Amino acid sequence: MLHDRVLVSAEGEVAERKSGGGIVIPATASVGKRLSWAEVVAVGQHVRQVQLGDRVLFDPEDRAEVELQSKDYILLRERDLHAVAAQRVDAGNTGLYL
């Protein structure tokens, strides 16, 4: 990975969602702009806020898809990330940085 690039894996992203009341929302339903979560699998040398294994929140419209060894990944710039959910924070903190 070069510069400020972040490679993420969005595997496990479900096509259908379920509302709080149990209603199934199909993937084709238009719900406006919705952000997605993915796990970081590689980072460039100038990435400062993200580490391997972190979950990041990003806009699916700002992505470039790439296939490596028959697996699909998403290539993003660090500045395009909206939030980071990390396991490395101290106890008592949320672990979510906006």
Side-chain angles (χ1 to χ4, degrees), residues 13 15 20 26-27 37 41 43-44 58 65 70 72 76 82 91-92:
E13 199 176 298
W37 287 98
V41 295
V43 296
F58 67 97
E65 296 181 9
S70 301
D72 291 326
L76 302 163
H82 295 276

Side-chain angles (χ1 to χ4, degrees), residues 10-87:
E11 288 183 9
E13 199 176 298
V14 275
E16 293 181 342
R17 297 184 313 276
K18 192 177 275 191
S19 72
I23 299 171
V24 176
I25 303 169
T28 57
S30 176
V31 292
K33 191 169 185 177
R34 183 172 179 86
L35 301 176
S36 297
W37 287 98
E39 183 177 347
V40 176
V41 295
V43 296
Q45 59 194 7
H46 296 296
V47 173
R48 299 180 304 176
Q49 303 294 323
V50 180
Q51 294 179 3
L52 297 179
D54 288 350
R55 288 182 41 97
V56 294
L57 185 66
F58 67 97
D59 185 354
E61 295 177 5
D62 295 337
R63 67 183 188 181
E65 296 181 9
V66 63
E67 183 179 333
L68 298 171
Q69 299 177 352
S70 301
K71 293 184 182 177
D72 291 326
Y73 296 98
I74 300 167
L75 185 62
L76 302 163
R77 289 181 179 262
E78 184 180 23
R79 68 178 177 217
D80 293 333
L81 301 177
H82 295 276
V84 178
Q87 295 292 327

